[in-house]
Amino acid sequence: DTEVTQTPKHLVMGMTNKKSLKCEQHMGHRAMYWYKQKAKKPPELMFVYSYEKLSINESVPSRFSPECPNSSLLNLHLHALQPEDSALYLCASSRDDPRLAYNEQFFGPGTRLTVL
Amino acid sequence: GENVEQHPSTLSVQEGDSAVIKCTYSDSASNYFPWYKQELGKRPQLIIDIRSNVGEKKDQRIAVTLNKTAKHFSLHITETQPEDSAVYFCAGQGAQKLVFGQGTRLTINP
């Protein structure tokens, strides 16, 4: 399996709802990432997990809560979102091998989130 | 932190002609520079990358050059085809973070 998968593909939620986005990879990668992408903009890093520990939080509001239950799974829990949070949420993974000078990131297809 | 600038923001070329997209970066510690192609509604797909110990890399119609001294790198697409139409993002990576340029919307005119 050489893909990153994400569910759901589309999500519509109200500002009072609680929902979760899911990301999965079975490539043995030890780093996983959440990005937010608005229309006509580049992906913007939100969180990085390395070996199941949160290593980077790009000052993301607490209404976004990441979770890494194991090395293959990454969740993003959503609560009390605002309409401006509507975007494409991309997950990515990489080997995160300290022996390598670089670690190619593989992206999932994304979840298109609409907050009403 | 790293800052990546990308130009042009839009590029329109005739089918069969070449396209060049340029990026500059600010962090001399960045050591990896991937290029991603993103079609409408799809995920970013890595098309080519270059490491800081290499000056040029080619893969069929796509090539990337890197000038570490000037801190700039470029994507070259030759013999462009309609399926090359997409948004292209350059990126620079230091540590675990990929910082993307603002993107170039490339349109290939038949």
Side-chain angles (χ1 to χ4, degrees):
Chain A
D1 190 344
T2 57
E3 273 206 336
V4 178
T5 59
Q6 288 185 245
T7 53
K9 288 185 179 179
H10 302 275
L11 178 61
V12 180
M13 60 187 290
M15 289 188 284
T16 58
N17 293 156
K18 285 185 180 181
K19 296 287 184 183
S20 297
L21 309 185
K22 181 179 174 180
C23 174
E24 196 165 359
Q25 58 86 16
H26 295 287
M27 295 180 278
H29 289 174
R30 302 313 299 268
M32 295 186 78
Y33 311 77
W34 280 116
Y35 288 87
K36 173 183 178 180
Q37 187 177 27
K38 300 284 272 185
K40 300 183 180 181
K41 295 290 185 182
E44 184 182 327
L45 183 66
M46 300 174 72
F47 303 104
V48 180
Y49 272 85
S50 178
Y51 290 80
E52 299 156 52
K53 287 186 172 21
L54 183 65
S55 60
I56 296 176
N57 176 343
E58 292 287 281
S59 302
V60 179
S62 59
R63 57 185 185 270
F64 295 92
S65 176
E67 179 197 17
C68 190
N70 60 58
S71 59
S72 299
L73 282 175
L74 184 67
N75 299 320
L76 186 62
H77 303 297
L78 314 172
H79 174 54
L81 294 194
Q82 304 296 311
E84 58 265 29
D85 295 323
S86 299
L88 179 68
Y89 287 83
L90 292 161
C91 173
S93 70
S94 69
R95 286 178 61 182
D96 200 24
D97 187 337
R99 297 168 296 178
L100 295 177
Y102 69 100
N103 284 277
E104 177 185 343
Q105 290 189 25
F106 295 83
F107 283 86
T111 294
R112 175 105 19 222
L113 174 67
T114 302
V115 182
L116 301 177
Chain B
E2 176 67 286
N3 182 48
V4 177
E5 300 278 341
Q6 182 173 347
H7 300 281
S9 57
T10 60
L11 180 59
S12 183
V13 302
Q14 288 299 119
E15 183 178 352
D17 287 351
S18 295
V20 180
I21 302 170
K22 298 183 179 182
C23 290
T24 59
Y25 63 99
S26 61
D27 188 352
S28 55
S30 291
N31 55 15
Y32 174 58
F33 304 92
W35 285 87
Y36 286 85
K37 175 184 180 182
Q38 189 173 27
E39 297 176 58
L40 191 62
K42 302 282 184 67
R43 75 186 81 191
Q45 294 268 22
L46 180 74
I47 56 171
I48 196 166
D49 55 19
I50 192 164
R51 285 165 263 173
S52 59
N53 59 349
V54 175
E56 184 173 356
K57 183 176 176 181
K58 190 173 181 181
D59 182 3
Q60 299 182 356
R61 297 186 297 108
I62 295 174
V64 59
T65 58
L66 171 65
N67 182 326
K68 277 187 64 180
T69 303
K71 293 187 194 162
H72 66 70
F73 56 112
S74 301
L75 177 71
H76 303 253
I77 306 174
T78 59
E79 300 171 22
T80 53
Q81 300 168 4
E83 53 265 35
D84 294 329
S85 294
V87 177
Y88 291 80
F89 292 103
C90 64
Q93 181 172 353
Q96 288 180 311
K97 291 178 61 169
L98 261 185
V99 177
F100 287 86
Q102 289 300 303
T104 297
R105 180 171 298 280
L106 176 63
T107 302
I108 308 302
N109 302 307

